[in-house]
Amino acid sequence: MNDEILIKDIYWDRIYLNIELTGKNLDNKMFMIATKKDAFSYPLTFHPEKNMIVINITNINNREMLDNRTWYIKYKNDNYANELIIYEKEYEEYLQEKDSNHIQDMDIKAPLKPLEWIPIPISIDLGYKLAHLDKVYRYAGTTYAYVISFSANKFREKLICTLTTTFMVKNNNPHKRYFNIETKKWKKRIKKRIIYYAELFNNFIYQILSRLFPKKGDKILLMSETRAPISGNLKVLNEYLIEHQLDKKFKISYYFTKTLEKRRSRIFFIWLKLAFLTAKQDFIFVDDYSPFFKYITLHPKTKLIQVWHAGVGFKSVGYARFGEKGSPYPFDTPHRKYSYTIVGGQALQEVYAEAFGIDEKDCLPYGVMRIDGYMDKQKISDFKKSFYQEYPQFQNKKIILFAPTFRGTGQRSAHYPYKNLDFKQIYDMCADEYIFLIKMHPFITKLPDIPVEFQDKIIDFSSFPDINQLFYVTDILITDYSSNIYEFSLQKKPIIFYAFDKDEYELLRSVHRRLDDDAPGKVCQTFEEVIDTIHKKDFQLEKLELFVKKNFDDSHLSSCEQVVNNILNAK
């Protein structure tokens, strides 16, 4: 691919979309706007005096407009013939390597076949600007609209821009689902309808049962559809209730399962059982996204309280990603159903209100339950004693904990690209001073394959049950966009952010704040920078102090105590 051509800027002038290019010999290139596989394409005219392509969005070609599709700005690859020869040679080598007993298939990637027309990469600055370029052209009053939206995407390790054009009709009943519009494939339509009617049936059962059980304010359900067994905030809340003998005042029920790991055919029956259990409750506490409540209309006297499993991180969730791929529907989401959500402090009310699509007044700044007593000196001392008894080889060593978040769109696709870790560099850096522990996100099933010769200093600790306890013995945390920085920041120890894909992640995954603006520590984009930061101890701890001051409120009451006083015992 010729890397010299780049889209430097895009801006509007009424109905004209101006695309500014940089590169050599632009006036000798051919350009077009096309779908991914060039099934639909239109030639574009380059204006050399301005280094610009200008598109009249109302007349792209022969008085036509772009139809309901996703489009790419492409140029002709002059080296197509030469690249094709290289590709055929590389493919032969790939097949030979794949058949070799000495090379694992997982480490081999087939060479990418060259394309005659290829998308033009964009600048990083333009990538951050794309979200502000969307246009809505209304016509026939407010009956119709023509929408052009922009997004950053990835093509062969390069950042590119896509345009999605859509002719839209005013929806007079936005609560209704139109499956014929949502998908063109009839099998998916049938599947969506079956799921939809199954959800309606479950809600119908819930409505009947919820009115059969009186609501006396004495029944509590602690539940999670993503974590089992009980852990984190819900575990701490449960221990508090039992310790203060509130289990005698309230009947406490439990429901913990990993719904998404079940077969789809079983989920209906799981939710039918859950409809019976939730119908009896006065208070329901959840700690993560719970799809069951997406279609349930809760009894007016039942309170649903979200005690989010993570602290505040950088990646956006829920309505903070509205309009992005996988974002929630305007009405059909469990986030809207929360009576309250418990947040770490007043500074975080706005963040969680945005994510869950609820009012700030319903984001209660009671603190995070799992850090109640978290910095207790006796608790820390007891854990360290038991930890070093179990791992005596770590005694007198400094521990570096590598705990990044996952890559992928969710639990089913979660992974981490271990090629970005250099085990030899880590081992040499550790010397006699450090031990390097790796704890991957619970969603990640493929754990790192650490070479045998490095396993005395580099150890996979992903199975360790409680990362917060592990923080007690951690001297340096290396992470990226994970929310684990929230608890660890209270330790006042160095945090290094290893974000090899910083711009790509922030543009494609979406974040509610950028690492460069708010990271409480040194941000590194290469592993060499990480190693150098540790050697030089260039941790930028002043950022950590500001983060703690901003995100934690001082309160003489524990989070659990405030939840009991203001929610469970509220009159």
mmCIF file of all heavy atoms in Angstrom, residues 512-553:
data_model
loop_
_atom_site.group_PDB
_atom_site.id
_atom_site.type_symbol
_atom_site.label_atom_id
_atom_site.label_comp_id
_atom_site.label_asym_id
_atom_site.label_seq_id
_atom_site.Cartn_x
_atom_site.Cartn_y
_atom_site.Cartn_z
ATOM 1 N N HIS A 512 -15.009 8.051 27.277
ATOM 2 C CA HIS A 512 -15.647 9.277 27.750
ATOM 3 C C HIS A 512 -14.621 10.314 28.204
ATOM 4 O O HIS A 512 -14.969 11.461 28.496
ATOM 5 C CB HIS A 512 -16.669 8.988 28.858
ATOM 6 C CG HIS A 512 -16.080 8.522 30.157
ATOM 7 N ND1 HIS A 512 -15.567 9.388 31.070
ATOM 8 C CD2 HIS A 512 -15.946 7.278 30.687
ATOM 9 C CE1 HIS A 512 -15.140 8.711 32.124
ATOM 10 N NE2 HIS A 512 -15.349 7.431 31.914
ATOM 11 N N ARG A 513 -13.361 9.902 28.244
ATOM 12 C CA ARG A 513 -12.270 10.852 28.458
ATOM 13 C C ARG A 513 -10.992 10.198 27.959
ATOM 14 O O ARG A 513 -10.859 8.972 27.959
ATOM 15 C CB ARG A 513 -12.143 11.245 29.929
ATOM 16 C CG ARG A 513 -12.023 10.085 30.896
ATOM 17 C CD ARG A 513 -11.992 10.601 32.310
ATOM 18 N NE ARG A 513 -11.811 9.519 33.262
ATOM 19 C CZ ARG A 513 -11.568 9.706 34.546
ATOM 20 N NH1 ARG A 513 -11.461 10.937 35.010
ATOM 21 N NH2 ARG A 513 -11.423 8.690 35.358
ATOM 22 N N ARG A 514 -10.047 11.000 27.532
ATOM 23 C CA ARG A 514 -8.841 10.492 26.884
ATOM 24 C C ARG A 514 -7.704 10.304 27.882
ATOM 25 O O ARG A 514 -7.596 11.033 28.870
ATOM 26 C CB ARG A 514 -8.420 11.441 25.773
ATOM 27 C CG ARG A 514 -9.433 11.580 24.646
ATOM 28 C CD ARG A 514 -8.982 12.596 23.607
ATOM 29 N NE ARG A 514 -7.706 12.218 23.015
ATOM 30 C CZ ARG A 514 -7.029 12.980 22.153
ATOM 31 N NH1 ARG A 514 -7.510 14.169 21.818
ATOM 32 N NH2 ARG A 514 -5.873 12.572 21.657
ATOM 33 N N LEU A 515 -6.853 9.322 27.594
ATOM 34 C CA LEU A 515 -5.694 9.081 28.454
ATOM 35 C C LEU A 515 -4.801 10.312 28.537
ATOM 36 O O LEU A 515 -4.304 10.651 29.611
ATOM 37 C CB LEU A 515 -4.879 7.901 27.914
ATOM 38 C CG LEU A 515 -5.397 6.483 28.168
ATOM 39 C CD1 LEU A 515 -4.425 5.467 27.581
ATOM 40 C CD2 LEU A 515 -5.610 6.222 29.643
ATOM 41 N N ASP A 516 -4.602 10.973 27.412
ATOM 42 C CA ASP A 516 -3.701 12.130 27.397
ATOM 43 C C ASP A 516 -4.197 13.258 28.296
ATOM 44 O O ASP A 516 -3.415 14.097 28.736
ATOM 45 C CB ASP A 516 -3.546 12.656 25.965
ATOM 46 C CG ASP A 516 -2.714 11.725 25.095
ATOM 47 O OD1 ASP A 516 -2.000 10.886 25.659
ATOM 48 O OD2 ASP A 516 -2.799 11.839 23.859
ATOM 49 N N ASP A 517 -5.499 13.267 28.570
ATOM 50 C CA ASP A 517 -6.069 14.338 29.391
ATOM 51 C C ASP A 517 -6.148 13.994 30.874
ATOM 52 O O ASP A 517 -5.954 14.866 31.722
ATOM 53 C CB ASP A 517 -7.472 14.702 28.892
ATOM 54 C CG ASP A 517 -7.475 15.239 27.477
ATOM 55 O OD1 ASP A 517 -6.454 15.841 27.086
ATOM 56 O OD2 ASP A 517 -8.469 15.045 26.757
ATOM 57 N N ASP A 518 -6.461 12.727 31.189
ATOM 58 C CA ASP A 518 -6.812 12.399 32.573
ATOM 59 C C ASP A 518 -6.090 11.198 33.182
ATOM 60 O O ASP A 518 -6.393 10.821 34.313
ATOM 61 C CB ASP A 518 -8.325 12.145 32.670
ATOM 62 C CG ASP A 518 -9.141 13.414 32.490
ATOM 63 O OD1 ASP A 518 -8.988 14.329 33.307
ATOM 64 O OD2 ASP A 518 -9.929 13.487 31.534
ATOM 65 N N ALA A 519 -5.183 10.583 32.480
ATOM 66 C CA ALA A 519 -4.515 9.399 33.041
ATOM 67 C C ALA A 519 -3.696 9.766 34.272
ATOM 68 O O ALA A 519 -2.863 10.674 34.211
ATOM 69 C CB ALA A 519 -3.619 8.755 31.996
ATOM 70 N N PRO A 520 -3.904 9.081 35.407
ATOM 71 C CA PRO A 520 -3.141 9.374 36.630
ATOM 72 C C PRO A 520 -1.784 8.675 36.640
ATOM 73 O O PRO A 520 -1.452 7.921 37.550
ATOM 74 C CB PRO A 520 -4.053 8.836 37.732
ATOM 75 C CG PRO A 520 -4.787 7.710 37.091
ATOM 76 C CD PRO A 520 -4.986 8.096 35.668
ATOM 77 N N GLY A 521 -1.009 8.923 35.596
ATOM 78 C CA GLY A 521 0.306 8.309 35.505
ATOM 79 C C GLY A 521 0.882 8.489 34.114
ATOM 80 O O GLY A 521 0.317 9.172 33.261
ATOM 81 N N LYS A 522 2.022 7.870 33.878
ATOM 82 C CA LYS A 522 2.725 7.990 32.601
ATOM 83 C C LYS A 522 2.009 7.180 31.523
ATOM 84 O O LYS A 522 1.666 6.019 31.733
ATOM 85 C CB LYS A 522 4.164 7.489 32.765
ATOM 86 C CG LYS A 522 5.035 7.593 31.521
ATOM 87 C CD LYS A 522 5.388 9.029 31.204
ATOM 88 C CE LYS A 522 6.365 9.114 30.041
ATOM 89 N NZ LYS A 522 7.706 8.609 30.406
ATOM 90 N N VAL A 523 1.781 7.785 30.352
ATOM 91 C CA VAL A 523 1.153 7.111 29.217
ATOM 92 C C VAL A 523 2.236 6.718 28.223
ATOM 93 O O VAL A 523 3.005 7.567 27.765
ATOM 94 C CB VAL A 523 0.110 8.014 28.530
ATOM 95 C CG1 VAL A 523 -0.501 7.299 27.325
ATOM 96 C CG2 VAL A 523 -0.982 8.411 29.522
ATOM 97 N N CYS A 524 2.302 5.432 27.890
ATOM 98 C CA CYS A 524 3.309 4.910 26.962
ATOM 99 C C CYS A 524 2.619 4.207 25.798
ATOM 100 O O CYS A 524 1.645 3.487 26.000
ATOM 101 C CB CYS A 524 4.240 3.918 27.664
ATOM 102 S SG CYS A 524 5.071 4.579 29.128
ATOM 103 N N GLN A 525 3.148 4.389 24.598
ATOM 104 C CA GLN A 525 2.576 3.740 23.428
ATOM 105 C C GLN A 525 3.449 2.617 22.884
ATOM 106 O O GLN A 525 3.006 1.848 22.035
ATOM 107 C CB GLN A 525 2.304 4.765 22.319
ATOM 108 C CG GLN A 525 1.126 5.680 22.621
ATOM 109 C CD GLN A 525 0.722 6.525 21.428
ATOM 110 O OE1 GLN A 525 1.066 7.691 21.346
ATOM 111 N NE2 GLN A 525 -0.012 5.943 20.505
ATOM 112 N N THR A 526 4.662 2.492 23.382
ATOM 113 C CA THR A 526 5.526 1.376 23.002
ATOM 114 C C THR A 526 6.008 0.671 24.266
ATOM 115 O O THR A 526 6.070 1.281 25.352
ATOM 116 C CB THR A 526 6.754 1.844 22.201
ATOM 117 O OG1 THR A 526 7.611 2.637 23.057
ATOM 118 C CG2 THR A 526 6.326 2.669 20.998
ATOM 119 N N PHE A 527 6.359 -0.588 24.120
ATOM 120 C CA PHE A 527 6.819 -1.328 25.292
ATOM 121 C C PHE A 527 8.189 -0.833 25.743
ATOM 122 O O PHE A 527 8.520 -0.912 26.927
ATOM 123 C CB PHE A 527 6.859 -2.830 24.994
ATOM 124 C CG PHE A 527 6.758 -3.660 26.235
ATOM 125 C CD1 PHE A 527 5.566 -3.729 26.943
ATOM 126 C CD2 PHE A 527 7.852 -4.348 26.719
ATOM 127 C CE1 PHE A 527 5.472 -4.473 28.103
ATOM 128 C CE2 PHE A 527 7.764 -5.101 27.875
ATOM 129 C CZ PHE A 527 6.570 -5.163 28.578
ATOM 130 N N GLU A 528 8.964 -0.314 24.807
ATOM 131 C CA GLU A 528 10.261 0.264 25.173
ATOM 132 C C GLU A 528 10.070 1.447 26.122
ATOM 133 O O GLU A 528 10.857 1.634 27.061
ATOM 134 C CB GLU A 528 11.014 0.713 23.920
ATOM 135 C CG GLU A 528 11.574 -0.415 23.070
ATOM 136 C CD GLU A 528 10.486 -1.166 22.297
ATOM 137 O OE1 GLU A 528 9.374 -0.617 22.149
ATOM 138 O OE2 GLU A 528 10.763 -2.306 21.860
ATOM 139 N N GLU A 529 9.003 2.241 25.894
ATOM 140 C CA GLU A 529 8.713 3.367 26.788
ATOM 141 C C GLU A 529 8.357 2.879 28.186
ATOM 142 O O GLU A 529 8.723 3.504 29.188
ATOM 143 C CB GLU A 529 7.547 4.181 26.229
ATOM 144 C CG GLU A 529 7.851 5.044 25.025
ATOM 145 C CD GLU A 529 6.645 5.861 24.600
ATOM 146 O OE1 GLU A 529 6.444 6.949 25.157
ATOM 147 O OE2 GLU A 529 5.894 5.393 23.721
ATOM 148 N N VAL A 530 7.626 1.771 28.260
ATOM 149 C CA VAL A 530 7.250 1.201 29.557
ATOM 150 C C VAL A 530 8.499 0.811 30.339
ATOM 151 O O VAL A 530 8.659 1.164 31.518
ATOM 152 C CB VAL A 530 6.328 -0.021 29.375
ATOM 153 C CG1 VAL A 530 6.071 -0.703 30.728
ATOM 154 C CG2 VAL A 530 5.009 0.387 28.735
ATOM 155 N N ILE A 531 9.389 0.076 29.677
ATOM 156 C CA ILE A 531 10.626 -0.364 30.325
ATOM 157 C C ILE A 531 11.459 0.832 30.763
ATOM 158 O O ILE A 531 11.995 0.879 31.884
ATOM 159 C CB ILE A 531 11.443 -1.262 29.365
ATOM 160 C CG1 ILE A 531 10.636 -2.504 28.962
ATOM 161 C CG2 ILE A 531 12.769 -1.651 30.004
ATOM 162 C CD1 ILE A 531 10.313 -3.432 30.094
ATOM 163 N N ASP A 532 11.557 1.822 29.887
ATOM 164 C CA ASP A 532 12.345 3.024 30.191
ATOM 165 C C ASP A 532 11.751 3.785 31.379
ATOM 166 O O ASP A 532 12.492 4.311 32.218
ATOM 167 C CB ASP A 532 12.392 3.921 28.952
ATOM 168 C CG ASP A 532 13.350 5.089 29.127
ATOM 169 O OD1 ASP A 532 14.549 4.841 29.356
ATOM 170 O OD2 ASP A 532 12.896 6.244 29.040
ATOM 171 N N THR A 533 10.415 3.841 31.450
ATOM 172 C CA THR A 533 9.753 4.529 32.566
ATOM 173 C C THR A 533 10.075 3.855 33.892
ATOM 174 O O THR A 533 10.313 4.528 34.907
ATOM 175 C CB THR A 533 8.223 4.539 32.339
ATOM 176 O OG1 THR A 533 7.935 5.273 31.155
ATOM 177 C CG2 THR A 533 7.511 5.172 33.519
ATOM 178 N N ILE A 534 10.099 2.531 33.892
ATOM 179 C CA ILE A 534 10.418 1.796 35.125
ATOM 180 C C ILE A 534 11.873 2.020 35.517
ATOM 181 O O ILE A 534 12.187 2.261 36.690
ATOM 182 C CB ILE A 534 10.126 0.295 34.938
ATOM 183 C CG1 ILE A 534 8.621 0.078 34.740
ATOM 184 C CG2 ILE A 534 10.617 -0.506 36.146
ATOM 185 C CD1 ILE A 534 8.251 -1.336 34.359
ATOM 186 N N HIS A 535 12.769 1.958 34.550
ATOM 187 C CA HIS A 535 14.191 2.170 34.841
ATOM 188 C C HIS A 535 14.441 3.569 35.407
ATOM 189 O O HIS A 535 15.181 3.734 36.379
ATOM 190 C CB HIS A 535 15.026 1.971 33.576
ATOM 191 C CG HIS A 535 15.258 0.539 33.211
ATOM 192 N ND1 HIS A 535 15.575 -0.426 34.140
ATOM 193 C CD2 HIS A 535 15.206 -0.095 32.006
ATOM 194 C CE1 HIS A 535 15.730 -1.595 33.546
ATOM 195 N NE2 HIS A 535 15.507 -1.418 32.248
ATOM 196 N N LYS A 536 13.803 4.568 34.797
ATOM 197 C CA LYS A 536 14.030 5.959 35.198
ATOM 198 C C LYS A 536 13.117 6.406 36.335
ATOM 199 O O LYS A 536 13.288 7.510 36.871
ATOM 200 C CB LYS A 536 13.829 6.888 33.991
ATOM 201 C CG LYS A 536 14.855 6.691 32.888
ATOM 202 C CD LYS A 536 14.603 7.670 31.742
ATOM 203 C CE LYS A 536 15.654 7.534 30.654
ATOM 204 N NZ LYS A 536 15.391 8.454 29.513
ATOM 205 N N LYS A 537 12.128 5.555 36.661
ATOM 206 C CA LYS A 537 11.141 5.884 37.705
ATOM 207 C C LYS A 537 10.431 7.211 37.395
ATOM 208 O O LYS A 537 10.150 8.018 38.289
ATOM 209 C CB LYS A 537 11.798 5.921 39.086
ATOM 210 C CG LYS A 537 12.326 4.554 39.538
ATOM 211 C CD LYS A 537 12.956 4.620 40.906
ATOM 212 C CE LYS A 537 13.268 3.231 41.437
ATOM 213 N NZ LYS A 537 14.022 2.368 40.515
ATOM 214 N N ASP A 538 10.126 7.375 36.109
ATOM 215 C CA ASP A 538 9.446 8.585 35.628
ATOM 216 C C ASP A 538 7.936 8.339 35.630
ATOM 217 O O ASP A 538 7.300 8.199 34.585
ATOM 218 C CB ASP A 538 9.944 8.917 34.220
ATOM 219 C CG ASP A 538 9.258 10.134 33.634
ATOM 220 O OD1 ASP A 538 8.773 10.973 34.416
ATOM 221 O OD2 ASP A 538 9.202 10.236 32.389
ATOM 222 N N PHE A 539 7.331 8.278 36.824
ATOM 223 C CA PHE A 539 5.942 7.825 36.965
ATOM 224 C C PHE A 539 4.895 8.950 36.935
ATOM 225 O O PHE A 539 3.711 8.679 36.936
ATOM 226 C CB PHE A 539 5.784 7.034 38.263
ATOM 227 C CG PHE A 539 6.674 5.823 38.359
ATOM 228 C CD1 PHE A 539 7.575 5.680 39.408
ATOM 229 C CD2 PHE A 539 6.612 4.846 37.380
ATOM 230 C CE1 PHE A 539 8.390 4.561 39.493
ATOM 231 C CE2 PHE A 539 7.432 3.718 37.455
ATOM 232 C CZ PHE A 539 8.325 3.581 38.518
ATOM 233 N N GLN A 540 5.332 10.184 36.969
ATOM 234 C CA GLN A 540 4.431 11.343 36.951
ATOM 235 C C GLN A 540 3.364 11.221 38.056
ATOM 236 O O GLN A 540 2.162 11.290 37.813
ATOM 237 C CB GLN A 540 3.776 11.485 35.569
ATOM 238 C CG GLN A 540 4.784 11.694 34.457
ATOM 239 C CD GLN A 540 4.160 11.862 33.075
ATOM 240 O OE1 GLN A 540 2.953 11.748 32.900
ATOM 241 N NE2 GLN A 540 4.998 12.125 32.082
ATOM 242 N N LEU A 541 3.822 11.067 39.279
ATOM 243 C CA LEU A 541 2.938 10.852 40.421
ATOM 244 C C LEU A 541 2.053 12.058 40.739
ATOM 245 O O LEU A 541 1.039 11.914 41.421
ATOM 246 C CB LEU A 541 3.774 10.486 41.661
ATOM 247 C CG LEU A 541 4.473 9.126 41.614
ATOM 248 C CD1 LEU A 541 5.369 8.940 42.824
ATOM 249 C CD2 LEU A 541 3.445 8.001 41.532
ATOM 250 N N GLU A 542 2.424 13.235 40.237
ATOM 251 C CA GLU A 542 1.584 14.409 40.488
ATOM 252 C C GLU A 542 0.202 14.239 39.865
ATOM 253 O O GLU A 542 -0.800 14.751 40.375
ATOM 254 C CB GLU A 542 2.268 15.674 39.953
ATOM 255 C CG GLU A 542 2.417 15.763 38.442
ATOM 256 C CD GLU A 542 3.615 14.986 37.897
ATOM 257 O OE1 GLU A 542 4.335 14.363 38.710
ATOM 258 O OE2 GLU A 542 3.821 15.033 36.668
ATOM 259 N N LYS A 543 0.108 13.482 38.761
ATOM 260 C CA LYS A 543 -1.190 13.206 38.128
ATOM 261 C C LYS A 543 -2.046 12.315 39.027
ATOM 262 O O LYS A 543 -3.274 12.444 39.053
ATOM 263 C CB LYS A 543 -0.992 12.526 36.779
ATOM 264 C CG LYS A 543 -0.330 13.386 35.719
ATOM 265 C CD LYS A 543 -0.230 12.620 34.411
ATOM 266 C CE LYS A 543 0.383 13.446 33.307
ATOM 267 N NZ LYS A 543 0.467 12.685 32.030
ATOM 268 N N LEU A 544 -1.400 11.426 39.748
ATOM 269 C CA LEU A 544 -2.107 10.511 40.644
ATOM 270 C C LEU A 544 -2.774 11.270 41.784
ATOM 271 O O LEU A 544 -3.926 10.989 42.147
ATOM 272 C CB LEU A 544 -1.125 9.474 41.190
ATOM 273 C CG LEU A 544 -1.681 8.399 42.122
ATOM 274 C CD1 LEU A 544 -2.724 7.557 41.412
ATOM 275 C CD2 LEU A 544 -0.553 7.518 42.634
ATOM 276 N N GLU A 545 -2.082 12.223 42.342
ATOM 277 C CA GLU A 545 -2.642 13.023 43.437
ATOM 278 C C GLU A 545 -3.904 13.753 42.989
ATOM 279 O O GLU A 545 -4.907 13.794 43.713
ATOM 280 C CB GLU A 545 -1.598 14.030 43.938
ATOM 281 C CG GLU A 545 -0.369 13.400 44.584
ATOM 282 C CD GLU A 545 -0.675 12.784 45.940
ATOM 283 O OE1 GLU A 545 -1.726 13.131 46.524
ATOM 284 O OE2 GLU A 545 0.132 11.962 46.399
ATOM 285 N N LEU A 546 -3.870 14.323 41.796
ATOM 286 C CA LEU A 546 -5.032 15.045 41.268
ATOM 287 C C LEU A 546 -6.208 14.104 41.031
ATOM 288 O O LEU A 546 -7.363 14.444 41.282
ATOM 289 C CB LEU A 546 -4.658 15.752 39.958
ATOM 290 C CG LEU A 546 -3.689 16.928 40.075
ATOM 291 C CD1 LEU A 546 -3.278 17.426 38.692
ATOM 292 C CD2 LEU A 546 -4.318 18.075 40.878
ATOM 293 N N PHE A 547 -5.914 12.891 40.555
ATOM 294 C CA PHE A 547 -6.968 11.913 40.276
ATOM 295 C C PHE A 547 -7.698 11.506 41.554
ATOM 296 O O PHE A 547 -8.932 11.449 41.601
ATOM 297 C CB PHE A 547 -6.351 10.677 39.611
ATOM 298 C CG PHE A 547 -7.331 9.599 39.267
ATOM 299 C CD1 PHE A 547 -8.030 9.628 38.070
ATOM 300 C CD2 PHE A 547 -7.555 8.534 40.139
ATOM 301 C CE1 PHE A 547 -8.940 8.631 37.747
ATOM 302 C CE2 PHE A 547 -8.457 7.537 39.827
ATOM 303 C CZ PHE A 547 -9.151 7.591 38.621
ATOM 304 N N VAL A 548 -6.950 11.223 42.597
ATOM 305 C CA VAL A 548 -7.549 10.816 43.873
ATOM 306 C C VAL A 548 -8.399 11.949 44.446
ATOM 307 O O VAL A 548 -9.530 11.736 44.912
ATOM 308 C CB VAL A 548 -6.455 10.396 44.875
ATOM 309 C CG1 VAL A 548 -7.062 10.147 46.257
ATOM 310 C CG2 VAL A 548 -5.742 9.142 44.383
ATOM 311 N N LYS A 549 -7.871 13.140 44.393
ATOM 312 C CA LYS A 549 -8.599 14.293 44.937
ATOM 313 C C LYS A 549 -9.905 14.523 44.190
ATOM 314 O O LYS A 549 -10.935 14.886 44.786
ATOM 315 C CB LYS A 549 -7.713 15.542 44.848
ATOM 316 C CG LYS A 549 -8.322 16.781 45.480
ATOM 317 C CD LYS A 549 -7.347 17.962 45.429
ATOM 318 C CE LYS A 549 -7.948 19.199 46.083
ATOM 319 N NZ LYS A 549 -7.004 20.359 46.036
ATOM 320 N N LYS A 550 -9.899 14.278 42.888
ATOM 321 C CA LYS A 550 -11.072 14.534 42.053
ATOM 322 C C LYS A 550 -12.135 13.458 42.202
ATOM 323 O O LYS A 550 -13.333 13.757 42.162
ATOM 324 C CB LYS A 550 -10.634 14.635 40.585
ATOM 325 C CG LYS A 550 -11.769 14.855 39.608
ATOM 326 C CD LYS A 550 -11.249 14.956 38.179
ATOM 327 C CE LYS A 550 -12.390 15.127 37.187
ATOM 328 N NZ LYS A 550 -11.891 15.208 35.787
ATOM 329 N N ASN A 551 -11.740 12.212 42.401
ATOM 330 C CA ASN A 551 -12.686 11.098 42.278
ATOM 331 C C ASN A 551 -13.160 10.503 43.596
ATOM 332 O O ASN A 551 -14.036 9.628 43.587
ATOM 333 C CB ASN A 551 -12.068 9.986 41.421
ATOM 334 C CG ASN A 551 -11.988 10.368 39.961
ATOM 335 O OD1 ASN A 551 -12.982 10.357 39.251
ATOM 336 N ND2 ASN A 551 -10.795 10.733 39.512
ATOM 337 N N PHE A 552 -12.617 10.924 44.722
ATOM 338 C CA PHE A 552 -13.033 10.357 46.001
ATOM 339 C C PHE A 552 -13.528 11.459 46.937
ATOM 340 O O PHE A 552 -12.881 12.484 47.091
ATOM 341 C CB PHE A 552 -11.879 9.594 46.668
ATOM 342 C CG PHE A 552 -11.484 8.349 45.923
ATOM 343 C CD1 PHE A 552 -10.501 8.395 44.948
ATOM 344 C CD2 PHE A 552 -12.100 7.139 46.186
ATOM 345 C CE1 PHE A 552 -10.132 7.262 44.257
ATOM 346 C CE2 PHE A 552 -11.739 5.995 45.499
ATOM 347 C CZ PHE A 552 -10.750 6.054 44.523
ATOM 348 N N ASP A 553 -14.692 11.202 47.524
ATOM 349 C CA ASP A 553 -15.253 12.132 48.504
ATOM 350 C C ASP A 553 -14.916 11.658 49.910
ATOM 351 O O ASP A 553 -14.865 10.453 50.182
ATOM 352 C CB ASP A 553 -16.778 12.213 48.368
ATOM 353 C CG ASP A 553 -17.193 12.915 47.084
ATOM 354 O OD1 ASP A 553 -16.337 13.568 46.476
ATOM 355 O OD2 ASP A 553 -18.362 12.791 46.694
#
